[in-house]
Amino acid sequence: MKTDTANKLASAASKITAKDLQGSGPKTEFLQFRVSKSEKDSVRATAAAMHLQVSEYMMKLHELVAEKLNKK
C-alpha cells in the first residue's frame, strides 16, 4: 500500500468513536476477496486491536472512505 494511502487510512481510523461502531442492521450477503497470509494476519490484528470483528473493521474502513469521497 502506498504510504500516502496508509497514512490517510490510519488518520481516519484514529477518529473512530464508540458511536461510529454501531451496526447498520442484519447482514444477509457475503463478500469475499483473496489476500496473502501476512495481509490476513495484519487485518485480523488491527481489527482485534480495535475490538472489532474483521467484517466490522472492513465495513468501517469502507464507510470512512465513502464518506470522505462524498464530501468532495
Side-chain angles (χ1 to χ4, degrees):
M1 182 180 305
K2 294 183 179 179
T3 303
D4 187 46
T5 301
N7 289 338
K8 287 178 182 177
L9 287 174
S11 175
S14 70
K15 297 173 186 167
I16 295 173
T17 66
K19 182 181 175 190
D20 294 327
L21 301 178
Q22 295 175 351
S24 61
K27 307 299 187 224
T28 60
E29 301 296 320
F30 287 91
L31 179 65
Q32 294 180 309
F33 54 97
R34 297 174 64 84
V35 296
S36 69
K37 178 166 180 10
S38 63
E39 290 169 329
K40 180 181 176 182
D41 293 344
S42 178
V43 168
R44 282 185 166 176
T46 303
M50 297 180 74
H51 307 286
L52 297 171
Q53 298 286 326
V54 170
S55 59
E56 293 169 318
Y57 169 65
M58 298 303 289
M59 288 308 302
K60 185 48 58 185
L61 285 176
H62 164 69
E63 291 166 10
L64 290 168
V65 171
E67 180 181 315
K68 180 82 169 176
L69 290 173
N70 287 330
K71 289 182 180 180
K72 289 184 176 183

